[in-house]
Amino acid sequence: MPKVTVRYWAAAKAAAQVAEEPYEADTLAGALAAVRARHPGELTRVLQRCSFLVDGDPVGTRAHETVRLAEGGTVEVLPPFAGG
């Protein structure tokens, strides 16, 4: 299973109380399920409003189950920004 780094920004970072952390997951859906299990509560609510970049590419409206993760990859968790 690929090891990836999940990086949190803005409200997601505040809710997770860390800037980044490692996870093992095959897909974005798997990584986000692991994030929710580790951080129940506020981060789970914040994730509902977030967009995601996987290795610098926007996920957009693709189903998270279809977004494959690569060994050493990065998932950026981007909440909506004021004025953004």
Side-chain angles (χ1 to χ4, degrees):
M1 190 167 314
K3 295 178 184 173
V4 299
T5 299
V6 175
R7 291 190 182 133
Y8 305 104
W9 298 95
K13 182 177 175 181
Q17 298 181 344
V18 296
E20 63 182 46
E21 54 193 356
Y23 284 94
E24 292 185 12
D26 291 324
T27 65
L28 178 58
L32 293 177
V35 167
R36 288 181 186 100
R38 187 179 290 177
H39 300 281
E42 182 60 23
L43 183 56
T44 297
R45 287 185 286 282
V46 171
L47 288 176
Q48 295 173 2
R49 300 184 311 270
C50 288
S51 58
F52 305 95
L53 299 177
V54 174
D55 297 331
D57 294 325
V59 171
T61 59
R62 290 183 287 162
H64 295 169
E65 297 81 15
T66 67
V67 179
R68 306 293 302 169
L69 302 178
E71 179 69 30
T74 303
V75 174
E76 308 277 349
V77 180
L78 306 167
F81 291 93

